[in-house]
Amino acid sequence: MLVDFNSLPEESRVWIYQSNRSFTDQELSEIKEKLNTFITNWTAHGSNLHSGYTIEYKRFIVLAINQSLTNATGCSIDASVHFIQQLENDYNVDLMDKMNVSYKQGQFVAHKSLLDFKQMAKDKAVSKNTIVFNNLVTNIAEFKENWEVPASESWHSRFLK
């Protein structure tokens, strides 16, 4: 069951998929239609999942489920992964690679491989104050509070000296 992302409770589980590039306005329109259809029909053992999504910075797809009503199951999570993989194929983007880092450069969002980010930290091209996206957050409360944080407050801090 598709619900407004902002109406979901703070403890709702989230999954964040970051794209290696920004989506165009046309792509965003199409992706939103596909997300609406997928989430409307997303179930766990025949029960509707009260879920929603948001797309941030034309780059991050965030899925959320109110698990206090219905828990996501292995099959329902697999279905979402297959859906995301289909988006990757449809738009020739990388959404599943966790070995990439996104961070802010002024008002823009940059995307680098983890190896490149480590090198940038070594070269002092990024600092402990660089705003990074912590895609390891697990619920909406963490998403709101700890998704966009200075690198010093994220797992990225291990690369900064």
Side-chain angles (χ1 to χ4, degrees):
M1 169 185 292
L2 177 62
V3 298
D4 184 296
F5 182 88
N6 294 314
S7 72
L8 289 164
E10 300 260 302
E11 64 275 5
S12 296
R13 185 170 176 188
V14 296
W15 292 268
I16 301 171
Y17 300 96
Q18 72 180 359
S19 175
N20 58 324
R21 65 168 175 82
S22 295
F23 294 111
T24 67
D25 289 338
Q26 175 66 34
E27 288 172 331
L28 283 171
S29 178
E30 293 171 9
I31 290 168
K32 287 176 184 178
E33 283 183 39
K34 291 176 181 187
L35 279 161
N36 290 341
T37 300
F38 171 74
I39 291 175
T40 297
N41 298 301
W42 198 13
T43 62
H45 298 296
S47 298
N48 286 331
L49 293 170
H50 292 258
S51 49
Y53 71 90
T54 184
I55 300 176
E56 302 293 330
Y57 297 103
K58 295 184 172 187
R59 182 180 289 264
F60 299 91
I61 298 172
V62 184
L63 301 179
I65 296 176
N66 179 352
Q67 293 204 116
S68 66
L69 298 175
T70 308
N71 280 323
T73 62
C75 291
S76 61
I77 293 169
D78 285 350
S80 68
V81 169
H82 291 301
F83 173 76
I84 294 296
Q85 288 171 328
Q86 187 60 54
L87 291 179
E88 286 183 315
N89 290 334
D90 292 348
Y91 298 99
N92 195 29
V93 294
D94 183 359
L95 294 165
M96 302 284 288
D97 190 346
K98 303 296 184 199
M99 298 303 289
N100 292 318
V101 176
S102 291
Y103 60 96
K104 284 188 174 177
Q105 273 189 320
Q107 64 185 26
F108 299 102
V109 175
H111 181 88
K112 297 287 183 194
S113 72
L114 187 57
L115 289 174
D116 287 345
F117 187 82
K118 285 181 185 179
Q119 187 61 48
M120 290 175 69
K122 193 180 218 182
D123 295 342
K124 308 252 187 265
V126 292
S127 73
K128 64 182 181 176
N129 297 320
T130 299
I131 300 299
V132 295
F133 295 91
N134 178 10
N135 296 324
L136 300 178
V137 298
T138 60
N139 61 46
I140 288 179
E142 289 179 2
F143 176 71
K144 290 178 179 176
E145 295 295 320
N146 298 313
W147 180 55
E148 289 184 55
V149 293
S152 62
E153 296 175 24
S154 175
W155 63 268
H156 303 82
S157 65
R158 71 183 83 165
F159 308 122
L160 305 166
K161 297 177 182 171

